[in-house]
Amino acid sequence: LKELSADERTRLEAEAREKWRRDYGASVDYAREEGEIRGKAEGLVEGMAKGKVEGKVEGQIQGILRVLATRFASAPDDIRRAVEAKTELSALETLLIHAATCDTLDDFRRKLR
């Protein structure tokens, strides 16, 4: 070891290899951490978007059932179940309008199908 460290060229090569090993390890660690941060951020954004849509769907469902209960004194269980089974926001928006404008609960049931 003393002989190798005494040879300046060998010592410089060893130092360069060691520096490269440390730098490479640091860059791998940085890339991994950066990937984790990005992944968490993307997951958060996706989760928020999904939660926002689910909240809108739930709001539309509750709105439909409130309108029906207000107009017809109740929202029968079969209608409640059918409305709660809907998950497409545009279909629920159409049903909300129909709940506010239909003449009877049977008219609304036909629109549900």
Side-chain angles (χ1 to χ4, degrees):
L1 187 58
K2 280 184 178 184
E3 285 178 34
L4 287 175
S5 61
D7 179 26
E8 187 171 348
R9 181 176 176 180
T10 304
R11 185 177 52 77
L12 290 174
E13 287 175 356
E15 288 174 0
R17 279 192 304 273
E18 183 60 23
K19 182 182 181 319
W20 178 88
R21 188 187 63 74
R22 282 192 310 266
D23 290 349
Y24 178 76
S27 68
V28 167
D29 289 344
Y30 175 79
R32 180 182 42 78
E33 290 172 9
E34 189 70 20
E36 287 175 1
I37 290 169
R38 242 185 238 163
K40 287 177 184 177
E42 289 172 3
L44 181 61
V45 168
E46 285 179 22
M48 289 172 62
K50 183 178 178 184
K52 190 174 181 179
V53 170
E54 288 173 353
K56 286 182 179 182
V57 166
E58 183 60 29
Q60 289 291 341
I61 289 170
Q62 293 308 314
I64 292 165
L65 297 176
R66 269 191 303 244
V67 167
L68 292 173
T70 300
R71 292 191 66 222
F72 301 107
S74 72
D77 287 340
D78 65 316
I79 290 177
R80 180 178 299 276
R81 283 190 303 272
V83 169
E84 289 172 345
K86 302 286 183 187
T87 58
E88 188 179 318
L89 194 54
S90 62
L92 288 166
E93 289 169 352
T94 300
L95 284 175
L96 180 58
I97 292 167
H98 193 64
T101 59
C102 65
D103 292 325
T104 66
L105 284 172
D106 285 334
D107 288 341
F108 186 80
R109 277 188 184 95
R110 281 191 285 280
K111 188 69 170 180
L112 271 173
R113 296 180 192 139

